Amino acid sequence: MQSERTLVLIKPDAVQRGLIGEIVSRFESRGLHPVAIKLMQVTTDIAERHYHEHRDKPFFMGLVEFITSSPVVAMVWEGPGAVAMVRAMMGATNPADSPAGTIRGDMALSLAMNVVHGSDSAQSAAREVEIFFSAAELLDWENSGAGWILAED
Ligand code: UDP
Ligand code: MG
């Protein structure tokens, strides 16, 4: 399977609830590789660009207010089929529909405060990674000397 990169945000609710480690741990345990991780305050400009597809939805203003309300952890994870894998690990958009074992199914109750964001396609991932990270912030594991055995097809 093709190695992919995907953008994940640990949203303000999860950062405030002390869930950073638990969420990072799930992606690490699954075998994805972290390419970038930073704690940051999302600006209104970044939030509006990131959630551009939802600009005409009734929940857009609340979404931008929430994601800019306190720090998030922005991350890029890499691995075979990483985009769909992260989405599967996250669960459904509404935590009420997320099975136990998924991040939202185990850690969230609220649709608005649903703990994590994950890119929904490879195209979205490429667009979103660029919004949150400069090229220099993205680690190149294959040329890093870390000696990791990269996942095979
Ligand atoms: N959202 C909301 N109300 C809705 C639909 C979505 O507050 O009726 C929020 C929810 O937190 C979701 C985010 O808007 O995570 C982005 O929506 P999307 O449909 O892209 O869901 P996701 O890709 O995060 O699962
Ligand atoms: Mg989405």
Side-chain angles (χ1 to χ4, degrees):
M1 187 168 287
Q2 179 82 25
S3 185
E4 294 176 339
R5 289 178 169 183
T6 190
L7 181 88
V8 177
L9 301 178
I10 303 178
K11 294 184 178 183
D13 54 324
V15 172
Q16 290 188 32
R17 290 168 59 207
L19 297 175
I20 295 172
E22 163 84 28
I23 293 168
V24 168
S25 179
R26 292 198 177 209
F27 298 124
E28 275 192 304
S29 314
R30 187 69 193 260
L32 296 172
H33 300 162
V35 168
I37 300 182
K38 69 179 167 190
L39 183 67
M40 63 181 284
Q41 185 78 42
V42 177
T43 63
T44 301
D45 176 60
I46 288 176
E48 287 179 348
R49 280 160 56 209
H50 174 66
Y51 283 124
H52 185 72
E53 66 172 314
H54 297 308
R55 65 194 175 284
D56 296 327
K57 308 261 176 66
F59 59 85
F60 180 70
M61 197 182 283
L63 187 56
V64 170
E65 266 175 30
F66 173 59
I67 205 75
T68 59
S69 63
S70 71
V72 307
V73 175
M75 313 186 281
V76 179
W77 290 88
E78 184 175 72
V83 173
M85 183 184 293
V86 165
R87 293 287 293 189
M89 291 174 70
M90 282 167 46
T93 301
N94 189 341
D97 302 325
S98 299
T102 63
I103 292 169
R104 286 167 173 166
D106 291 345
M107 302 183 215
L109 283 174
S110 152
L111 171 60
M113 291 187 266
N114 59 2
V115 173
V116 277
H117 165 85
S119 307
D120 63 8
S121 67
Q123 200 179 10
S124 299
R127 188 184 77 81
E128 293 171 2
V129 167
E130 263 196 16
I131 292 173
F132 283 86
F133 294 97
S134 68
E137 289 177 301
L138 304 172
L139 192 77
D140 178 1
W141 274 111
E142 292 204 46
N143 295 309
S144 69
W148 285 26
I149 298 168
L150 298 174
E152 292 179 6
D153 293 3

